[in-house]
Amino acid sequence: MTLMISGLYAGLTAVLVLALSYRVVKFRRANKIGIGDGGHQGLSIAIRAHGNLIENAPIVLILLALAELNGMPVYLIHCLGTAWIVARLLHAIGLNQGQGGYHFGRFWGVLITWIVLLTLAVANIGFFLGL
């Protein structure tokens, strides 16, 4: 069995990682800040948007790949993968537009990420238990 579907969402995640990383580099170059955020709120927010994706992506992508290997229906893998990408886009946009405070995108991005993570965790535990 191949991991083509989870590979698609890993690839899309990688593109998002690069886009958020570019924002950090752009802020650093514009403000001549090599390490840390130099007290610049925009850079601090860009760092957190990138960091939050990096913190969540490994476990979600591992669980997605395992669910695919364990025989989760294709439509569910696509639903969860799409929800993951939408959630991470919402979070990044919300964190930036909300300037680190409350924003619709940030709230729903986190909530959907947690739902995807929990769903994948429960599904993989269920596969182990034979449910």
Side-chain angles (χ1 to χ4, degrees):
M1 172 179 250
T2 65
L3 296 173
M4 289 184 4
I5 300 168
S6 50
L8 167 66
Y9 296 104
L12 292 171
T13 300
V15 170
L16 185 54
V17 166
L18 286 170
L20 294 176
S21 181
Y22 174 75
R23 276 185 53 81
V24 172
V25 170
K26 185 176 158 184
F27 269 111
R28 287 191 186 287
R29 293 194 66 182
N31 295 286
K32 296 181 174 50
I33 300 169
I35 302 276
D37 62 18
H40 191 281
Q41 184 183 8
L43 177 54
S44 178
I45 291 167
I47 290 168
R48 279 312 310 142
H50 178 256
N52 192 274
L53 175 60
I54 294 297
E55 292 160 4
N56 285 281
I59 189 67
V60 169
L61 294 174
I62 288 168
L63 288 170
L64 192 66
L66 290 171
E68 186 174 0
L69 279 174
N70 285 323
M72 179 177 273
V74 169
Y75 78 93
L76 285 177
I77 297 168
H78 278 298
C79 286
L80 291 166
T82 299
W84 159 252
I85 295 299
V86 168
R88 299 325 301 167
L89 284 169
L90 280 171
H91 180 267
I93 291 166
L95 188 58
N96 284 292
Q97 288 184 355
Q99 296 296 302
Y102 177 83
H103 186 277
F104 171 88
R106 186 177 183 192
F107 173 82
W108 284 101
V110 169
L111 183 60
I112 296 167
T113 295
W114 289 352
I115 290 168
V116 168
L117 181 57
L118 181 61
T119 301
L120 286 167
V122 169
N124 278 291
I125 292 167
F127 287 128
F128 175 78
L129 296 175
L131 302 175

